[in-house]
Amino acid sequence: MVNTVRQDDSRQGPPVPRTGRFYIYAIVLVASIGGFLFGFDLVVIAGALPFLVEDFHLSAAMQGFAVSSAILGAVSGPLCGMWFTERLGRRKTMMLAAFFFMISTIGTAAAAGIWDFAVWRFLGGVGIGLAMMSSPIYIAELSPPHLRGVLVNVNQLSNVIGINLAVITSYFFSFEGWGWRWMFAAQAVPVALLIAGLLLIPESPRWLAARNRVDEALKVLTRINGKEQSEQELKEIEKELQQETGVFSELFQPGIRTALFIGVVIMIFSQVNGVNMMLLYAPSILAEAGIRVGSNAILSSIPIYLLILLTTILAFGLIKRFSRRGLLITSVLLMALGHVIMAINLQLHWPPMFTLVPMLIGTGSFTLGLAPLSWIIVSEIFPNRIRSKALAVVCFFLYAASFVTAQVFPMLTNWFAATFNSAAGVYWIFATICVACAVFSWKMVPETKGLSLEKISEFWRDHHQHKTGQASLE
């Protein structure tokens, strides 16, 4: 069991100078635009889907393909990103992601049929894969240890803001004809902001140090933490780099492979838990339940998206106050409760409006815990030289799981409805998955709150020497 990691007395870290705080906040704000585009790009399809079904005459399988084509592209993003983040750097990889977002924006808005629409969505998915691999790494590598969880969660907040604006944009352009094309074209504005912002921010100091560009790394660290603290931090970075080879096989060394296993499983759980499907298919789920507001199912889903915005903001305080493991376990158990209520609701045919209750419980719990913590944990548990390689493997499984779930969900729902006259069985499956995630988190996930990235790396290198499976950081 890998669950005991004691933190030292310096876990709160030295104070960051005010100018350094403003600097790191500005950097994180720019980097998190990638998270915004991730949320916007994946959810805008929820509002466009009813119009795509009508225009392109889509079957249930093709509806799943229209949604999951971007996720399929995201699967290939980490495979490319593994090389780009290492050779070009974190910042340039985010710039490349912005390029894919731009061509996808233009292509999807002008698509003449479902197949070319899917191709442009696929390319946008490549951008998602690159952005969501490089952005969390970049933010984690620049953040002071005691602020890292909160700052990485800015990426999640940006993601949720993107989701909400996608819903609002979808509703605004929810008219016949070219309305759905404007939904996708609207993405051009944040893409342009991302490109402009990336021209102004620095490269990751840990990537610079790994490339022997020590003076540049020290300059960036000094601007964030001040001279004395930065020199000490740079020494720790250089010490760790000397103990690492950076080759792919290092991922499978004792200790590190445990971290890799935990990262992969946590990310798979973050996609197959069912809540993402509630977000991607919210208008369709509510419409099938018989809910209509203003004759438009998109509007009826707005409470769900507003709730996840509120809970993501609340998550900042929870992440700062509570342990990673405790918040993670509580989150997934509440998600399981939401699925159980949804299943009972569908089995007993409660009033359609009640469908909102389990959806609010599930999505709120997800964004309070599992959604931000999955990215925080995987962005901090790997050593410096192999962090991008590890994230590539983790994100590959993340998007592969997301693709399979998005593709199968409408077909599985239809099968349960046709066979048992209710889709309740789908939610019983999701509830079981959430309980399994809670057990896994309790048994396997270590506590890393307040620790430097170098201290966490040391923990994994030393972990395999402990015969009992318990490990600690003194």
Side-chain angles (χ1 to χ4, degrees):
M1 199 162 70
V2 185
N3 60 13
T4 304
V5 182
R6 291 198 285 275
Q7 302 172 15
D8 57 28
D9 293 336
S10 62
R11 62 187 178 185
Q12 294 303 318
V16 179
R18 177 174 296 183
T19 55
R21 287 201 303 271
F22 285 129
Y23 184 56
I24 188 65
Y25 294 159
I27 289 172
V28 170
L29 184 63
V30 171
S32 66
I33 296 176
F36 174 94
L37 290 167
F38 178 29
F40 188 97
D41 190 74
L42 285 182
V43 174
V44 74
I45 186 67
L49 189 58
F51 301 99
L52 290 171
V53 170
E54 184 176 344
D55 282 5
F56 298 148
H57 309 290
L58 304 181
S59 64
M62 291 306 296
Q63 289 180 52
F65 182 63
V67 172
S68 61
S69 54
I71 304 172
L72 183 60
V75 173
S76 64
L79 302 180
C80 303
M82 177 173 59
W83 187 87
F84 288 127
T85 53
E86 283 294 312
R87 300 300 295 270
L88 301 181
R90 295 18 172 167
R91 187 177 71 94
K92 289 182 180 178
T93 302
M94 288 189 285
M95 185 71 77
L96 185 62
F99 169 76
F100 277 101
F101 280 129
M102 183 59 76
I103 61 175
S104 173
T105 297
I106 297 170
T108 50
I114 187 59
W115 290 106
D116 56 324
F117 174 84
V119 169
W120 295 116
R121 285 276 293 166
F122 175 89
L123 293 177
V126 174
I128 290 172
L130 292 174
M132 293 309 291
M133 176 183 165
S134 53
S135 292
I137 293 176
Y138 178 81
I139 295 172
E141 291 184 345
L142 270 86
S143 301
H146 61 291
L147 295 177
R148 189 174 58 244
V150 170
L151 292 178
V152 173
N153 194 43
V154 172
N155 202 53
Q156 177 65 20
L157 175 61
S158 184
N159 178 284
V160 172
I161 292 173
I163 289 173
N164 276 270
L165 286 183
V167 176
I168 294 171
T169 300
S170 297
Y171 178 69
F172 185 76
F173 291 116
S174 58
F175 51 81
E176 299 294 333
W178 280 37
W180 66 265
R181 298 182 186 274
W182 285 108
M183 295 180 192
F184 294 101
Q187 188 173 255
V189 175
V191 171
L193 291 175
L194 176 60
I195 293 172
L198 288 173
L199 296 173
L200 302 175
I201 63 176
E203 183 52 81
S204 160
R206 285 173 168 81
W207 182 83
L208 291 170
R211 293 288 163 177
N212 295 318
R213 294 161 63 176
V214 178
D215 291 341
E216 295 176 63
L218 181 60
K219 184 178 179 180
V220 176
L221 290 171
T222 300
R223 192 165 180 185
I224 297 172
N225 298 316
K227 184 176 180 180
E228 183 177 349
Q229 173 63 21
S230 297
E231 289 177 346
Q232 178 62 34
E233 188 172 354
L234 184 60
K235 288 179 182 178
E236 292 181 4
I237 294 171
E238 290 180 313
K239 178 182 177 182
E240 184 194 337
L241 290 173
Q242 290 173 1
Q243 299 176 15
E244 300 173 5
T245 63
V247 297
F248 197 85
S249 60
E250 191 172 348
L251 285 174
F252 304 100
Q253 292 180 356
I256 304 300
R257 67 185 175 213
T258 303
L260 181 65
F261 173 71
I262 291 171
V264 167
V265 174
I266 284 293
M267 280 309 207
I268 290 175
F269 273 134
S270 77
Q271 298 304 305
V272 301
N273 59 73
V275 173
N276 276 344
M277 296 305 99
M278 288 182 176
L279 296 175
L280 285 174
Y281 291 98
S284 300
I285 293 172
L286 293 171
E288 290 170 3
I291 296 177
R292 294 290 189 277
V293 179
S295 301
N296 198 314
I298 296 174
L299 187 61
S300 64
S301 66
I302 286 180
I304 296 170
Y305 296 112
L306 289 178
L307 176 69
I308 66 172
L309 176 60
L310 175 62
T311 51
T312 301
I313 294 172
L314 292 175
F316 282 93
L318 297 177
I319 290 169
K320 189 173 183 179
R321 181 172 182 179
F322 297 105
S323 69
R324 304 271 200 263
R325 291 179 67 248
L327 187 57
L328 180 62
I329 293 169
T330 303
S331 168
V332 293
L333 288 177
L334 288 173
M335 289 160 55
L337 175 63
H339 288 313
V340 169
I341 295 174
M342 174 68 92
I344 296 173
N345 166 50
L346 294 175
Q347 285 179 329
L348 299 182
H349 304 289
W350 287 343
M353 189 60 71
F354 188 82
T355 304
L356 276 172
V357 174
M359 292 182 75
L360 291 172
I361 293 173
T363 55
S365 303
F366 178 62
T367 47
L368 277 174
L370 180 58
L373 287 173
S374 58
W375 285 106
I376 291 170
I377 291 169
V378 300
S379 69
E380 66 186 8
I381 62 174
F382 301 112
N384 285 324
R385 283 195 186 275
I386 60 170
R387 185 169 293 119
S388 61
K389 293 181 177 66
L391 260 291
V393 174
V394 167
C395 287
F396 173 82
F397 282 97
L398 159 74
Y399 295 121
S402 182
F403 170 76
V404 171
T405 308
Q407 182 68 44
V408 169
F409 179 76
M411 294 185 289
L412 189 62
T413 301
N414 287 351
W415 183 83
F416 270 104
T419 306
F420 302 101
N421 199 32
S422 169
V426 176
Y427 296 96
W428 285 116
I429 293 172
F430 286 144
T432 303
I433 291 172
C434 289
V435 172
C437 180
V439 174
F440 177 84
S441 300
W442 174 57
K443 290 282 189 180
M444 295 296 297
V445 178
E447 185 55 58
T448 55
K449 181 180 179 181
L451 300 169
S452 70
L453 296 178
E454 288 66 41
K455 205 72 172 174
I456 296 170
S457 299
E458 181 183 338
F459 164 71
W460 290 118
R461 284 196 300 270
D462 296 342
H463 173 71
H464 69 282
Q465 299 175 2
H466 295 255
K467 295 181 180 179
T468 62
Q470 298 283 339
S472 64
L473 280 173
E474 302 292 352

